[in-house]
Amino acid sequence: MNYDREPVFKRSKWGTQRYYYNPRNPIGLTLIIVSLLFAGTMMLLMANRAGPFAPEPAPTWSPPRYEYSWPPPASTPTPWPAPLPTSTPEP
């Protein structure tokens, strides 16, 4: 059978201007098989959430631990400071 006369793409007979792969041409048949394998692989990857469809990994950064407070706690209680003397204006 001579495949050289068969085009890779044929015009659709449904009244549209679309083309389809011609399975009688070896290149057209190869394109059909490659397209089906690609679509099937993508569907499997989407279903398993793998490859480019994998979820983002959880962030590994966490804020530093809160180990101290400001001002640092005193070992003994501190007394209240004495009030400052106020000056009174002289008349």
Side-chain angles (χ1 to χ4, degrees):
M1 190 179 250
N2 191 358
Y3 292 112
D4 294 335
R5 304 252 186 242
E6 287 288 333
V8 176
F9 302 102
K10 281 191 144 182
R11 186 173 288 208
S12 174
K13 295 182 180 173
W14 289 71
T16 62
Q17 296 297 322
R18 296 186 182 205
Y19 288 85
Y20 66 94
Y21 298 135
N22 185 4
R24 292 183 183 161
N25 186 305
I27 296 173
L29 184 61
T30 304
L31 288 173
I32 291 171
I33 293 169
V34 168
S35 298
L36 290 174
L37 288 175
F38 179 77
T41 303
M42 285 297 151
M43 296 295 273
L44 283 174
L45 289 175
M46 282 191 280
N48 294 328
R49 296 183 59 108
F53 306 104
E56 293 288 327
T60 58
W61 181 85
S62 62
R65 288 184 20 194
Y66 184 71
E67 296 178 357
Y68 59 87
S69 63
W70 190 256
S75 60
T76 60
T78 57
W80 287 97
L84 294 174
T86 57
S87 61
T88 56
E90 297 198 19

